Amino acid sequence: MKNTVLTSTHEALGAKIVPFAGYNMPVQYEGVNIEHETVRQAVGVFDVSHMGEFLIEGAYALDLIQKVSSNDASKLTVGKAQYSCLPNDNGGIVDDLIIYKIKEETYLLVVNASNIEKDWKWIQSKNDVGATMRNLSEDYSLLAIQGPKAIEAMQAITSHDLSAIKFYNFVVGDFAGIDHVIISATGYTGSGGFEIYCKNTEVKQIWDKVFEAGADYGIKPIGLAARDTLRLEMGYCLYGNDIDDTTSPIQAGLGWITKFSKEFTNSKALEAEKQKGIERKLIAFELDGRGIPRHGYDIVDSNGHKIGIVTSGTMSPSLGKGIGLGYVPTIFADVNSKINIQIRKNAIPATVVKLPFYKG
């Protein structure tokens, strides 16, 4: 297992450390519900330095990105980021990712930690255009400072007006006494805030100054367990659960990042799938009864027949009820449709709902 630069810091803070995507990562400190509430009401900090970062550069950088990604990266201007996915050749997804346009002919691709090697090989295999590729994953750290008080708490440690950075925009500038840091208004929680990309040699200084600056705002370190409950309340897909090598972006409700105005890997087949109509679809549901839906639980119809499977599920700290995502045939996918979640011997009634679960 690899450590992030901050692993010993998390241990000193009393974090429970677990193996995740090849790294020793903090899963929780005080407890999931307390940490979840901190991000929803104040400000919390995640160490997500296990994520992967690839730099794609040169005259053919955009050509490569357009070929491997589903969204239209030609729409990006410097200072903007875009959510996208890497389709495979068989109708599934290699990974989902964020693409940043750092400057003309320079793009940063941020990929999931568990897929770094797979993604790198995949993109490399498609690079017949001669784009320059650099894998920076081992050299860079990433902090997510999330919550409604993030702007106010962090403004003192940067000269940039944080309130002026719109969602999915970023600046490269000074932060916590370090120059050339990426301050990005992206996040995975639905409660606002920033993601800070810096070199490994800089992250401890930034972490310490972030906690100093946030002391009066109730800032706390947050583990991966609360990150999962926060993202699920927003209905954000988690690779390996809700999307994978077998799920198409159309089935997963990611048609909005799948742009057929250009050609990309498997685009013809995905476009045909969209035009024909899909047979199964990722839905969001809330339990009508008591219980906690979990990944892998069966979704059943009123006769007890299995119609699908829960891909993500939890007890929502904000809503106080069981929520989840899962794939079902499209006839069961309409909002307000009634389904059942098989929890041990009981089929618990549930209702298909519109995302996000958490409305803020």
Side-chain angles (χ1 to χ4, degrees):
M1 286 292 146
K2 298 177 185 172
N3 292 327
T4 75
V5 173
L6 296 169
T7 300
S8 58
T9 303
H10 303 312
E11 287 171 340
L13 289 166
K16 181 183 177 188
I17 305 288
V18 298
F20 181 82
Y23 282 81
N24 290 311
M25 297 297 292
V27 67
Q28 65 179 55
Y29 300 82
E30 292 178 82
V32 180
N33 288 358
I34 295 169
E35 292 168 35
H36 182 107
E37 196 64 15
T38 296
V39 174
R40 285 278 179 251
Q41 304 300 328
V43 57
V45 186
F46 304 82
D47 175 14
V48 279
S49 301
H50 59 322
M51 299 289 279
E53 293 89 13
F54 306 155
L55 209 60
I56 313 287
E57 297 176 288
Y60 302 103
L62 181 60
D63 292 342
L64 175 59
I65 290 165
Q66 288 289 69
K67 189 158 90 166
V68 298
S69 67
S70 62
N71 210 334
D72 186 358
S74 72
K75 299 279 194 258
L76 284 172
T77 54
V78 174
K80 289 191 180 294
Q82 183 184 75
Y83 180 57
S84 192
C85 76
L86 305 172
N88 64 23
D89 291 320
N90 313 310
I93 299 171
V94 178
D95 202 3
D96 62 336
L97 74 164
I98 299 178
I99 300 168
Y100 294 83
K101 186 167 184 178
I102 305 295
K103 51 189 179 189
E104 294 303 331
E105 301 185 354
T106 302
Y107 297 83
L108 181 70
L109 277 51
V110 180
V111 303
N112 284 299
S114 53
N115 291 336
I116 292 171
E117 194 177 340
K118 179 176 84 162
D119 292 356
W120 178 260
K121 286 179 179 171
W122 175 258
I123 298 169
Q124 214 171 28
S125 76
K126 301 289 183 182
N127 186 17
D128 56 7
V129 294
T132 302
M133 294 176 58
R134 285 198 286 155
N135 187 350
L136 307 178
S137 306
E138 295 285 333
D139 304 317
Y140 275 76
S141 293
L142 173 56
L143 301 180
I145 305 165
Q146 297 283 293
K149 294 184 181 175
I151 291 175
E152 201 183 346
M154 295 301 115
Q155 190 56 70
I157 57 173
T158 178
S159 64
H160 288 274
D161 179 1
L162 295 178
S163 64
I165 308 174
K166 296 188 177 110
F167 194 47
Y168 267 75
N169 283 241
F170 68 95
V171 296
V172 180
D174 65 283
F175 189 82
I178 306 287
D179 286 329
H180 307 299
V181 170
I182 295 174
I183 309 167
S184 172
T186 45
Y188 200 44
T189 65
S191 282
F194 302 93
E195 294 189 309
I196 305 294
Y197 296 85
C198 63
K199 291 176 181 168
N200 288 345
T201 52
E202 301 163 343
V203 69
K204 182 64 167 73
Q205 176 178 321
I206 292 176
W207 174 276
D208 291 342
K209 290 202 179 295
V210 161
F211 275 88
E212 281 172 35
D216 294 337
Y217 298 88
I219 198 167
K220 289 181 178 180
I222 313 293
L224 294 182
R227 183 172 161 86
D228 194 50
T229 55
L230 289 156
R231 72 91 194 166
L232 185 48
E233 286 187 347
M234 296 306 296
Y236 295 150
C237 288
L238 174 65
Y239 194 89
N241 283 40
D242 315 302
I243 50 175
D244 59 30
D245 291 302
T246 68
T247 59
S248 92
I250 310 301
Q251 293 169 358
L254 297 177
W256 62 281
I257 62 162
T258 310
K259 302 289 169 61
F260 299 115
S261 53
K262 58 158 203 172
E263 280 196 34
F264 56 86
T265 305
N266 208 40
S267 58
K268 290 279 186 281
L270 291 174
E271 190 170 19
E273 180 185 39
K274 185 179 182 180
Q275 287 169 349
K276 182 185 171 193
I278 49 176
E279 293 178 2
R280 68 170 193 155
K281 187 178 177 184
L282 186 67
I283 54 140
F285 64 84
E286 292 180 356
L287 291 192
D288 301 329
R290 293 178 62 177
I292 304 174
R294 300 286 187 200
H295 171 73
Y297 283 10
D298 287 346
I299 302 173
V300 299
D301 64 13
S302 55
N303 297 315
H305 298 134
K306 181 177 175 177
I307 56 169
I309 197 155
V310 176
T311 54
S312 287
T314 194
M315 173 60 71
S316 164
S318 301
L319 279 64
K321 62 172 81 168
I323 62 170
L325 303 174
Y327 285 92
V328 296
T330 45
I331 54 167
F332 296 97
D334 290 340
V335 170
N336 296 322
S337 294
K338 296 296 181 182
I339 55 173
N340 298 278
I341 310 301
Q342 192 69 42
I343 302 179
R344 289 177 286 280
K345 292 181 180 175
N346 301 315
I348 308 297
T351 302
V352 177
V353 298
K354 193 178 177 194
L355 289 170
F357 297 105
Y358 175 75
K359 305 294 195 283

